Amino acid sequence: MKIATIGLGYIGLPTAVMFAKHGQEVIGFDTNKEVIARLQSGCIHIEEPGLQEAFQGVLANGLLRPVSQLEPADTFIIAVPTPHTEDHSCDTRYIRQAVKDVIPLLKTGNTIILESTVAPKTTTGVIQPMLEEAGFTVGVDVHLVHCPERVLPGQIMTELVHNNRIIGGVTPACANAGEAVYQTFVEGEMLLTDASTAELSKLMENTFRDTNIALANELVKLSTELGINALNVIEMANKHPRVNIHTPGPGVGGHCLAVDPYFITIAAPEQTPLIQTAREINSSMPEYIAESVDTITNNTAKKVVILGAAYKGNVDDVRESPALKIAEYLQQRGIEVHVYDPHVAYYNMNPETAFANADMAIIATEHDEFKHLPISLLTSMATMQIFDTKNIFEGAHEELTYITLGTLHRYSNASSFSHKKSLGRR
Ligand code: SAJ
């Protein structure tokens, strides 16, 4: 089978590599010529464990060819970005462009698979009409499938193989065609369904996470108010066999959890108050962290170092990153902010400069490097103070003030302080 993957980003590239690794002839197409040139020279352009080695292998044996000109194939897999517009709705322009690029190459019997996350009904409402306008009957001449990617950045190479796969065919024949494609390497279960169910399932998976994280973040706010350690509450509550309160943090980033719920709320605004509120709570967290800095330092912070720019640990992806929003809120307060991130080239500067004379270090991303910090960096601070919004720091120093999302109540305003003093612990 000859497979063409369109879009060689966080999903398209590992997917192309995986097909090639399992013996398929793959061409990887991307409109970004710099990306293609880099790939042709043997280097991947994203950080993902195991990907570089696997990529080099299939480039060397010729099964994967990065190309800047799309070619005919049996199967076209579209994995392009679906950015959100100003009002958070799903921008399908890259998908439509990809379909336009594919149409002149299409032959009877071809399969077109959309992996990009989309608003409900995009496959049947946007792509199917384009194919039919071009003279193809979907389900008869060509097969159209929505097969949402479900891999976790950082574990993509394993999850691509082992995760279950939703295969949403526009017709049952389309679903069968999609299954035949993924059978080449997927070891998880193949879940055949229709395209709209596949679209909404994908969106609800991330909405489930976003809503549950909002509950954890709301718990931080209410516990701080009540003088109780939210992290201890979560630890206790999660001992219940059917409870799994998620982990609170500085907000929700990435191009999935912070984006996908809006595709649902825009499609059905009246029916989604819970999802909308969850989004608001998670979006409020970076400002809440900045306000907490004011409270902790009694508005005296002049310089703050933010540890982490990426939206989550051990990846280089800064899309929708709460860390960068915290930086903005602190800068608006006139605070000098240094963002240090060893995983993100742009923010991988000299940590000495970032820490020197800082009044606080905020751990905003759970990179392994931040579990322990060199003592020399800590002692160079004006006030040795770590605000660990990810609860990961494992180091210790007698002069260190260590604050988590569970201990903010210690610094809350005077009105309820006496109450907090007697009830707050840790
Ligand atoms: N986060 C919390 N608390 C938690 C879990 C996560 O604050 O308990 C934050 C993270 O710090 C991060 C954000 O949420 O800022 C999202 O991180 P994540 O690791 O939960 O998810 P993503 O966006 O990297 O990947 C998700 C995954 N979806 C689910 O777990 C349901 C992944 O499987 C999807 O493939 C991916 O979205 C996607 O592409 O949709």
Side-chain angles (χ1 to χ4, degrees):
M1 184 174 4
K2 181 170 175 185
I3 296 173
T5 53
I6 301 166
L8 295 174
Y10 285 96
I11 299 302
L13 181 59
T15 301
V17 168
M18 203 51 85
F19 277 112
K21 212 177 143 201
H22 289 78
Q24 308 304 315
E25 181 193 349
V26 183
I27 55 159
F29 168 75
D30 199 292
T31 50
N32 186 333
K33 294 203 165 54
E34 278 170 35
V35 166
I36 295 297
R38 195 181 156 109
L39 291 172
Q40 284 172 341
S41 78
C43 290
I44 62 170
H45 60 296
I46 54 175
E47 181 180 342
E48 181 60 36
L51 182 58
Q52 176 65 37
E53 299 80 346
F55 170 73
Q56 268 167 336
V58 292
L59 188 71
N61 70 17
L63 279 172
L64 173 60
R65 275 188 299 123
V67 296
S68 45
Q69 180 72 46
L70 199 56
E71 299 172 10
D74 303 308
T75 299
F76 296 89
I77 297 184
I78 302 174
V80 294
T82 37
H84 53 98
T85 54
E86 198 74 348
D87 70 348
H88 296 294
S89 58
C90 175
D91 181 348
T92 58
R93 93 178 82 154
Y94 299 115
I95 292 179
R96 284 181 280 120
Q97 186 56 51
V99 175
K100 271 189 206 153
D101 292 343
V102 167
I103 283 175
L105 306 172
L106 267 187
K107 295 188 300 286
T108 305
N110 282 177
T111 300
I112 301 117
I113 298 176
L114 175 68
E115 286 213 11
S116 312
T117 305
V118 287
K121 310 269 171 109
T122 301
T123 309
T124 52
V126 176
I127 303 181
Q128 185 177 0
M130 289 176 76
L131 296 174
E132 298 199 330
E133 233 166 75
F136 296 97
T137 304
V138 170
V140 179
D141 304 324
V142 291
H143 295 120
L144 176 59
V145 195
H146 177 50
C147 185
E149 58 80 13
R150 303 163 97 186
V151 287
L152 196 66
Q155 298 175 28
I156 295 181
M157 299 308 276
T158 316
E159 292 210 353
L160 269 181
V161 177
H162 297 286
N163 284 3
N164 299 333
R165 207 77 216 216
I166 300 178
I167 317 254
V170 169
T171 67
C174 294
N176 290 336
E179 185 183 22
V181 173
Y182 289 100
Q183 248 164 7
T184 53
F185 72 81
V186 172
E187 289 175 23
E189 202 183 333
M190 303 280 196
L191 306 161
L192 272 57
T193 185
D194 62 84
S196 301
T197 304
E199 289 165 342
L200 192 52
S201 309
K202 162 72 192 187
L203 295 173
M204 278 311 289
E205 290 165 12
N206 285 339
T207 301
F208 170 88
R209 298 266 292 164
D210 194 49
T211 311
N212 278 283
I213 296 165
L215 188 63
N217 285 335
E218 187 160 281
L219 173 62
V220 165
K221 292 182 177 179
L222 76 91
S223 298
T224 302
E225 185 60 26
L226 298 179
I228 299 170
N229 185 324
L231 301 182
N232 290 346
V233 171
I234 294 171
E235 193 186 336
M236 297 301 125
N238 283 353
K239 298 287 182 200
H240 185 290
R242 287 172 297 283
V243 172
N244 176 22
I245 301 181
H246 284 38
T247 312
V252 168
H255 195 65
C256 306
L257 272 62
V259 174
D260 296 358
Y262 291 117
F263 294 178
I264 298 179
T265 60
I266 285 170
E270 295 294 319
Q271 291 74 23
T272 51
L274 176 64
I275 302 174
Q276 291 172 42
T277 304
R279 271 287 68 237
E280 280 166 26
I281 293 168
N282 288 337
S283 302
S284 75
M285 290 310 287
E287 191 167 14
Y288 182 76
I289 299 296
E291 284 165 1
S292 300
V293 172
D294 290 344
T295 312
I296 296 164
T297 64
N298 214 359
N299 296 309
T300 59
K302 291 192 183 61
K303 176 177 174 181
V304 167
V305 48
I306 297 181
L307 301 179
Y311 81 92
K312 70 173 187 176
N314 304 321
V315 301
D316 63 353
D317 188 347
V318 299
R319 289 179 296 177
E320 313 294 326
S321 175
L324 299 179
K325 296 198 179 100
I326 296 169
E328 276 174 36
Y329 283 117
L330 292 176
Q331 274 158 351
Q332 282 166 16
R333 288 164 163 73
I335 297 174
E336 178 187 340
V337 181
H338 292 245
V339 180
Y340 168 61
D341 193 320
H343 290 260
V344 183
Y346 184 75
Y347 295 101
N348 189 10
M349 35 67 152
N350 180 355
E352 273 86 26
T353 318
F355 274 83
N357 291 317
D359 299 295
M360 178 184 278
I362 301 177
I363 299 181
T365 308
E366 66 277 32
H367 290 321
D368 289 342
E369 291 87 341
F370 301 151
K371 287 183 183 164
H372 296 273
L373 294 164
I375 295 291
S376 58
L377 289 181
L378 297 179
T379 52
S380 74
M381 296 172 73
T383 317
M384 205 191 290
Q385 198 156 229
I386 294 182
F387 180 12
D388 183 358
T389 69
K390 290 293 187 171
N391 202 29
I392 57 151
F393 185 68
E394 292 171 5
H397 190 284
E398 54 191 14
E399 281 164 43
L400 175 72
T401 305
Y402 179 65
I403 306 133
T404 67
L405 290 180
T407 57
L408 284 176
H409 55 83
R410 289 184 186 166
Y411 304 88
S412 296
N413 57 34
S415 62
S416 48
F417 182 69
S418 55
H419 167 73
K420 283 166 187 165
K421 210 172 157 195
S422 57
L423 290 181
R425 44 186 289 259
R426 209 196 130 175

